[in-house]
């Protein structure tokens, strides 16, 4: 059935055929991220950066490690490599923990209940739509409950995660390289490459496979939601349990990070059906940079605050300071969650795929009835209501506020709790510029009108 302004929910989440389909062609190809040289630099540089930061946070209480002099640089680099290998070399324990969790989540993705939703029409499939089994919420809660049972029964203490964090991180990085390599080789062998430049390094970095699937499992959606944020949460939970073992209680600061990472992971999984119409899923290729950052970068570089609090705690911040951090986090979360819900449910409403879900928490202002929009000549609608009447990217602002609190809760004794904020700000600035350029090409004068209406 078609939806109208008086009926916001459908019991038949199949999309309408008359919704304009995104005509994305390959004619606008340009090198991004500095082209092949930039791609090669990041393929080498990101793992080295993560290894360096791990040693600073995990092994040096959040302080920078630097050579004694310019002449000492190469000996210092050798000492750093030796130390990393000593405490973070891949191990069987790391393999069992990381891949055990990964394959547990894969199994849950196949068997858990959940609605089947449909994405946008894909030009690469001649306008066909892919079906997505949206059961991440069940998988997430089963994983949380299972982990707590294992911890409190002593079958697997969650403190094993922080005790073996280096080996687990190394396994995650190797696993992301392996998956990206296999995906590139298989896609090339099948002659199914998308938007390939012809440069192997750049194509490996940017990806050549649009919709990798193993049966009903969509690899891109799975790796974006079901590994990075749950792993990040479990790292923070592990730090909290470790702190309890060491000092007999969990500090308000460590509890803050558990809450922050639970909110983020829970939101990503409870709103899985909203993600399938996002640019990441519709257009972006499954690539080394997506796989590496989702499987290794997010969980093992966004956790620095939790590790810092464990290694340097207990902190002695004032009650007003801690309370301010909690309030900022919750306010930021409210606008981030509702902002994402507003824009995604607006799309789903007009695509006839909006369904009712009772996932906790359901916040007010998550759906705008009779939302105002600009109808473009292209056929799409640009939302100019709710939070999107005041800013084009309000969810980014709220996201940055939450990222800021992840640093503030640790004070100002180290840069590394602010790495996430710094990195995320750079990523968002790049993404906003990229999105604006794409939308200007796509919508023309309609985009000019949109920018006039919405600051």
């Amino acid at each position: 059935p078609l939806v109208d302004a008086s009926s916001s929910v459908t019991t038949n989440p199949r999309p309408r055929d008359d919704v304009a389909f995104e005509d994305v062609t390959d004619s606008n190809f340009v090198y991004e991220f500095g082209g092949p040289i930039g791609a090669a630099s990041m393929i080498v540089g990101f793992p080295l950066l993560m290894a360096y930061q791990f040693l600073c946070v995990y092994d040096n209480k959040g302080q920078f490690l630097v050579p004694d002099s310019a002449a000492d640089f190469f000996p210092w680099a050798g000492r750093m490599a030796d130390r990393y290998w000593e405490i973070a070399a891949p191990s069987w324990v790391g393999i069992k923990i990381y891949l055990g969790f990964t394959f547990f989540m894969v199994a849950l993705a196949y068997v858990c209940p959940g609605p089947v939703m449909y994405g946008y029409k894909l030009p690469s499939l001649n306008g066909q739509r892919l079906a997505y089994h949206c059961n991440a919420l069940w998988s997430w809660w089963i994983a949380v409950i299972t982990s707590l049972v294992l911890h409190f029964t002593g079958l697997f203490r969650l403190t094993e995660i922080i005790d073996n964090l280096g080996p687990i991180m190394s396994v995650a990085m190797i696993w992301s390289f392996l998956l990206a390599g296999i995906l590139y080789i298989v896609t090339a062998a099948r002659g199914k490459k998308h938007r390939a430049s012809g440069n192997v390094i750049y194509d490996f970095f940017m990806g050549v496979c649009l919709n990798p699937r193993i049966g009903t499992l969509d690899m891109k959606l799975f790796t974006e939601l079901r590994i990075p944020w749950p792993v990040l949460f479990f790292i923070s939970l592990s730090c909290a349990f470790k702190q309890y073992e060491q000092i007999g209680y969990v500090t308000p600061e460590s509890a803050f990070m558990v809450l922050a990472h639970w909110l983020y992971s829970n939101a990503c999984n409870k709103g899985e059906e909203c993600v399938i119409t996002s640019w990441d899923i519709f257009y972006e290729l499954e690539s080394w940079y997506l796989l590496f950052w989702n499987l290794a970068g997010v969980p093992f570089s966004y956790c620095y605050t939790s590790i810092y609090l464990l290694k340097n705690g207990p902190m002695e911040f004032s009650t007003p300071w801690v309370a301010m951090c909690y309030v900022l986090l919750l306010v930021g979360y409210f606008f981030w969650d509702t902002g994402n819900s507003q824009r995604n449910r607006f799309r789903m409403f007009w695509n006839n795929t909006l369904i009712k879900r009772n996932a906790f928490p359901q916040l007010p202002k998550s759906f705008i009835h009779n939302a105002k929009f600009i109808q473009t000549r292209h056929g799409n609608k640009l939302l100019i209501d709710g939070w999107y009447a005041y800013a084009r990217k309000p969810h980014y602002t709220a996201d940055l506020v939450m990222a800021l609190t992840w640093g503030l809760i640790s004070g100002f004794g180290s840069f590394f709790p602010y790495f996430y904020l710094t990195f995320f700000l750079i990523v968002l600035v790049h993404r906003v510029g990229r999105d604006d350029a794409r939308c200007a090409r796509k919508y023309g004068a309609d985009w000019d009108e949109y920018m006039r209406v919405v600051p």
Side-chain angles (χ1 to χ4, degrees), residues 4-278:
D4 55 33
S6 62
S7 175
S8 61
V9 177
T10 179
T11 56
N12 176 26
R14 292 191 65 89
R16 294 183 352 211
D17 289 332
D18 61 336
V19 174
F21 102 74
E22 298 275 351
D23 183 18
V24 179
T25 67
D26 298 341
S27 59
N28 293 320
F29 174 82
V30 293
Y31 277 128
E32 298 184 70
F33 300 102
I37 294 176
S41 299
M42 284 184 272
I43 290 171
V44 174
F46 275 142
L48 292 177
L49 176 64
M50 287 181 60
Y52 171 77
Q53 293 189 131
F54 172 79
L55 288 176
C56 292
V57 177
Y58 194 86
D59 202 41
N60 199 44
K61 293 192 172 184
Q63 303 308 308
F64 285 103
L65 291 161
V66 295
D68 296 330
S69 64
D72 183 50
F73 177 79
F74 288 107
W76 169 82
R79 296 192 299 272
M80 293 283 285
D82 290 341
R83 182 57 178 162
Y84 184 84
W85 187 256
E86 180 183 349
I87 66 173
S91 67
W92 284 113
V93 173
I95 291 172
K96 287 188 288 186
I97 292 175
Y98 186 80
L99 293 187
F101 176 77
T102 296
F103 289 119
F104 178 61
M105 296 300 281
V106 168
L108 292 177
Y110 282 109
V111 301
C112 286
V116 175
M117 306 295 292
Y118 294 83
Y120 282 143
K121 295 178 181 180
L122 295 173
S124 59
L125 297 178
N126 297 317
Q128 295 182 30
R129 304 177 190 265
L130 292 175
Y132 296 84
H133 190 190
C134 295
N135 58 7
L137 184 63
W138 274 91
S139 299
W140 158 243
W141 278 106
I142 289 173
V144 170
I145 293 170
T146 301
S147 69
L148 292 175
V149 170
L150 292 174
H151 176 79
F152 287 110
T153 58
L155 294 174
F156 175 75
R157 301 286 292 177
L158 289 176
T159 51
E160 289 293 313
I161 297 173
I162 189 62
D163 289 341
N164 295 277
L165 191 65
I168 297 171
M169 183 181 76
S170 295
V171 169
M173 289 194 287
I174 294 170
W175 179 245
S176 67
F177 271 87
L178 182 63
L179 281 184
I182 292 173
L183 188 60
Y184 180 88
I185 292 170
V186 170
T187 304
R190 295 178 61 203
K192 299 288 187 179
K193 291 196 291 186
H194 290 270
R195 301 196 297 272
S197 69
N199 183 283
V200 174
I201 294 176
Y202 183 79
D203 290 341
F204 174 72
F205 175 81
M206 290 295 293
V208 292
C209 185
L210 184 58
N211 302 111
R213 292 193 155 209
I214 306 173
T216 59
L217 179 68
D218 186 86
M219 185 173 170
K220 194 160 47 169
L221 186 62
F222 177 87
T223 55
E224 182 166 321
L225 297 182
R226 305 196 192 200
I227 298 298
W229 304 107
V231 171
L232 177 62
F233 166 74
F234 285 121
I235 291 173
S236 289
L237 187 61
S238 176
C239 289
F241 280 135
K242 188 69 177 181
Q243 186 179 65
Y244 184 84
E245 284 187 359
Q246 291 177 346
I247 64 175
Y249 65 96
V250 176
T251 65
E253 295 83 6
S254 293
F256 175 95
M257 292 312 302
V258 173
L259 172 64
H261 292 162
W262 179 84
L263 285 171
Y264 214 105
S265 184
N266 184 71
C268 289
N269 286 284
K270 79 182 176 76
E272 181 185 27
E273 73 277 3
C274 297
V275 179
I276 62 176
T277 56
S278 68

Side-chain angles (χ1 to χ4, degrees), residues 341-388:
S341 294
Q342 286 179 5
R343 70 188 181 99
N344 285 308
R345 289 177 177 174
F346 173 77
R347 293 173 185 164
M348 295 170 71
F349 174 86
W350 287 104
N351 205 34
N352 198 41
T353 56
L354 181 63
I355 61 172
K356 183 177 181 179
R357 301 200 74 180
N358 296 317
F360 176 82
Q362 290 296 312
L363 301 175
K365 305 293 185 180
S366 292
F367 178 71
I368 310 166
H369 293 273
N370 302 312
K372 299 175 184 176
F373 59 86
I374 293 176
Q375 178 66 58
T376 69
R377 296 173 183 83
H378 179 276
N380 288 0
K381 297 172 175 62
L382 302 177
L383 178 63
I384 54 170
D385 209 340
W387 311 142
Y388 294 85

Side-chain angles (χ1 to χ4, degrees), residues 316-329:
E316 297 181 354
F317 298 122
S318 68
T319 299
W321 179 263
V322 174
M324 179 199 69
C325 290
Y326 272 91
V327 170
L328 277 178
L329 171 68

